[in-house]
Amino acid sequence: QGSKFQTLNILIKTQTDGKLYSFTAVMNTRSENVMKRIGMTRAGTFAHPALPEDHWLKEHVLYSIDL
């Protein structure tokens, strides 16, 4: 069950900037590589707000692509 969370990528289409976003835990390099392969650009990192400060998956990487 924990591995499902590791491989979960949430895609959000926004109405305001015409971009598609995807994020994953920093340690999930497989998902990050998929984002790179499809032409997404790294937009930064963030601390996932739903996870406790000391959680090993707290740090996430954010990618985006123009639609």
Side-chain angles (χ1 to χ4, degrees), residues 38-61:
I38 64 173
M40 298 187 94
T41 303
R42 187 176 175 144
T45 59
F46 67 97
H48 197 293
L51 296 173
E53 287 301 318
D54 60 346
H55 197 284
W56 65 285
L57 294 174
K58 181 75 173 175
E59 192 70 17
H60 278 62
V61 61

Side-chain angles (χ1 to χ4, degrees), residues 1-2 9 11 13-14 24 28 35 43-44 55-57 61 67:
Q1 304 259 338
N9 292 310
L11 301 175
K13 180 179 177 182
T14 66
T24 189
N28 192 348
M35 293 176 218
H55 197 284
W56 65 285
L57 294 174
V61 61
L67 296 177

